[in-house]
Amino acid sequence: MSRKVIIAGNWKMNKTAAEGRELVEALKAELTCSCYDQLDIVVCPPFTTIGAVVEAARGSRIKVGAQNIHWAANGAFTGEISADMLKTAGVEYVIIGHSERRQYFGETDATVNSRLKAAIAAGLKPIVCIGELLEEREGGLTEKVLTTQIRGGFDGISGEKMAEVVVAYEPVWAIGTGKTATPDIAQETHAHIRKELAAMFGEEVAAKVRIQYGGSMKADNARELVAQPDIDGGLIGGAALKADSFVALINEAMGK
Ligand code: PGA
């Protein structure tokens, strides 16, 4: 089963519209070779930067994602953004349940599930984040935590839709810390995730789901991580904020 590698940049709360446009222009100038069609390249700017980035990315191989979505279609939800609003703004992907949202904004597997259903219903491509805390890894709870996140987060999704969902495995202890899971640890954990997906949706669906690694991924480690059989790309924070580091990482992930 060959799955298309997907490299997504999560810009988090960084980049004004002008800065976002500048970064996309720099990426476009670097990513001209048709060889880059072998993988999906996504950038996920903050909401206020999406318009400028969609415009700058139009007609290029760079796809645009958002960092969150609300489950309701509209209404009295101050500060939230709906699936339709994202679709209309030209967004294709959406990150759901990032660990920073779980840690700082009360996101749970139940809210992840609601957001995922809204994204799927609107035809957005979800990138659903899961991952364990350091104390959970040290306490031998990693597989249990991931299984709970998978069962709760993906509850009620059809196999057909699940096959198109991207899962981002991001060990929380590796995010922004410079500590990366070794390729062996990451592979072992990705294999567990795929096994859980197979238990829930069947082998055929599980074999189609793309599972990205996230957490201090950079040019130095991308090649070895993406070479693992169950690692289908990366969700990148820090290294996605500059064109040179993001392009270098993409090249390594492609084995270029
Ligand atoms: P990082 O962030 O690459 O800066 O560790 C990854 C993420 O949080 O998605």
Side-chain angles (χ1 to χ4, degrees):
M1 164 66 59
S2 70
R3 292 176 292 264
K4 192 172 186 187
V5 168
I6 174 167
I7 303 288
N10 173 11
W11 293 0
K12 307 193 180 185
M13 199 169 72
N14 296 292
K15 306 282 177 197
T16 61
E19 289 164 349
R21 190 180 298 117
E22 197 181 321
L23 177 49
V24 170
E25 291 301 344
L27 291 173
K28 276 174 21 183
E30 295 285 337
L31 302 172
T32 50
C33 165
S34 62
C35 55
Y36 292 112
D37 289 341
Q38 287 169 29
L39 74 169
D40 287 326
I41 301 169
V42 186
V43 295
C44 303
F47 289 131
T48 49
T49 300
I50 283 176
V53 165
V54 165
E55 214 175 282
R58 191 167 287 132
S60 77
R61 50 175 57 84
I62 298 167
K63 292 155 184 162
V64 183
Q67 298 173 19
N68 191 19
I69 182 181
H70 194 262
W71 52 83
N74 51 51
F77 298 102
T78 302
E80 294 292 324
I81 302 284
S82 75
D84 252 13
M85 292 169 184
L86 294 178
K87 268 298 253 197
T88 316
V91 165
E92 194 175 333
Y93 286 84
V94 61
I95 299 171
I96 297 174
H98 188 278
S99 65
E100 285 148 18
R101 299 222 51 90
R102 292 178 189 255
Q103 275 186 298
Y104 310 137
F105 303 101
E107 193 88 55
T108 63
D109 295 331
T111 58
V112 166
N113 187 248
S114 301
R115 292 179 207 275
L116 174 59
K117 286 175 177 162
I120 290 172
L124 290 163
K125 296 175 180 154
I127 299 175
V128 179
C129 303
I130 57 174
E132 80 286 1
L133 303 170
L134 181 59
E135 58 263 34
E136 292 167 339
R137 164 117 352 225
E138 287 176 347
L141 295 172
T142 299
E143 294 197 349
K144 189 161 173 266
V145 167
L146 293 172
T147 299
T148 303
Q149 291 175 341
I150 290 166
R151 293 198 186 151
F154 301 131
D155 182 46
I157 308 299
S158 71
E160 187 196 351
K161 295 295 180 194
M162 189 62 212
E164 285 165 22
V165 170
V166 177
V167 177
Y169 166 60
E170 300 204 303
V172 179
W173 47 271
I175 295 178
T177 58
K179 285 187 200 144
T180 328
T182 62
D184 285 351
I185 290 179
Q187 166 54 29
E188 185 187 41
T189 315
H190 280 232
H192 170 76
I193 293 166
R194 205 175 297 286
K195 193 175 89 202
E196 283 300 320
L197 292 174
M200 230 175 141
F201 299 100
E203 295 283 348
E204 202 180 318
V205 170
K208 286 183 183 158
V209 175
R210 294 185 289 177
I211 309 176
Q212 298 175 303
Y213 170 81
S216 299
M217 201 196 246
K218 42 192 183 299
D220 290 355
N221 53 30
R223 183 181 295 247
E224 230 191 319
L225 284 162
V226 176
Q228 302 300 316
D230 285 297
I231 302 185
D232 308 309
L235 182 56
I236 325 299
L241 294 175
K242 288 199 175 124
D244 54 358
S245 53
F246 196 46
V247 171
L249 185 154
I250 289 169
N251 288 339
E252 292 293 335
M254 286 177 71
K256 240 167 97 106

